[in-house]
Amino acid sequence: MNQLLVRAADGDEQAFAGVYDALADRVMGLVCRVVRDKAQAEEVTQDVMVEVWRTADRFHPARGAARNWVLTLAHRRAVDRVRSVSANRARELRAAVREQERSFDTVAEEVEVREEQRVVFRCLALLSRELRLPLVLAYYEGLTYAEVAEALSTPEGTIKSRMRQGLQRLHDCLEAGS
């Protein structure tokens, strides 16, 4: 795969076709898990593969595998799309809120949600790095057990155990906080 991407960087369309055939489905799967919308995932996947073609010369085999480089591009682009969509929704929500008078219940609910988020973040911060990081990658980044294990270069069984232990400690902390 590394050699195909290096050849694609030199303008070899057949090599890029090989990269595309090998990785497009994995890119789509990763992007779909992050953006959670098939139409947007298809757009992002197309953008990523075009970016791979255009920027293949930035890939350096000495720094890592081609597959990881492409999936990193895909993940970053997917997260950017989620942030963009979230920002648009937030802007629309702020505009809608400005147009109508806010009721007390809406304010109270927002305060409650922010307080819950603050408590969760506080409890996460109390976890050790080895328990916190797999939870953050899985729940905030949308990675599967296998992807978390790969990202952390740790056996999948160990990741599952750490996540169970981390979730239990998080649960205990949240129960103590309420």
Side-chain angles (χ1 to χ4, degrees):
M1 180 63 60
N2 287 1
Q3 289 307 315
L4 286 175
L5 194 54
V6 168
R7 287 181 19 221
D10 292 331
D12 184 338
E13 292 179 14
Q14 293 291 31
F16 177 72
V19 171
Y20 185 93
D21 291 342
L23 295 177
D25 288 340
R26 283 193 58 97
V27 168
M28 176 67 172
L30 171 65
V31 171
C32 203
R33 280 191 303 277
V34 175
V35 300
R36 302 193 190 279
D37 177 87
K38 187 176 180 193
Q40 286 193 34
E42 289 170 349
E43 285 180 32
V44 172
T45 298
Q46 181 179 351
D47 291 347
V48 167
M49 296 314 291
V50 169
E51 182 178 358
V52 167
W53 171 248
R54 289 183 187 156
T55 64
D57 61 327
R58 294 183 189 164
F59 169 68
H60 301 289
R63 293 185 188 165
R67 182 177 135 261
N68 293 342
W69 184 76
V70 172
L71 292 176
T72 299
L73 290 175
H75 186 263
R76 288 178 182 160
R77 184 66 67 100
V79 169
D80 288 347
R81 176 63 64 99
V82 169
R83 288 178 179 155
S84 174
V85 168
S86 294
N88 287 339
R89 285 185 185 146
R91 274 192 296 276
E92 290 171 5
L93 180 61
R94 283 192 303 271
V97 167
R98 277 187 235 119
E99 290 178 13
Q100 34 180 298
E101 186 175 276
R102 295 178 80 179
S103 68
F104 177 78
D105 291 340
T106 303
V107 172
E109 184 177 329
E110 188 174 314
V111 168
E112 186 176 319
V113 167
R114 285 188 181 165
E115 178 60 21
E116 288 172 357
Q117 288 175 340
R118 188 188 64 74
V119 171
V120 169
F121 290 140
R122 181 183 56 81
C123 288
L124 272 172
L126 294 175
L127 294 176
S128 67
R129 184 179 191 277
E130 74 177 14
L131 298 180
R132 180 180 59 249
L133 192 54
L135 292 175
V136 169
L137 290 173
Y139 289 96
Y140 288 96
E141 298 295 329
L143 300 182
T144 65
Y145 283 122
E147 291 167 337
V148 171
E150 184 179 323
L152 299 178
S153 301
T154 305
E156 190 172 333
T158 302
I159 292 300
K160 288 180 180 180
S161 296
R162 288 178 181 172
M163 288 181 72
R164 270 193 306 276
Q165 186 179 11
L167 286 171
Q168 183 59 51
R169 289 188 183 171
L170 190 61
H171 176 266
D172 294 345
C173 178
L174 293 172
E175 286 295 313
S178 53

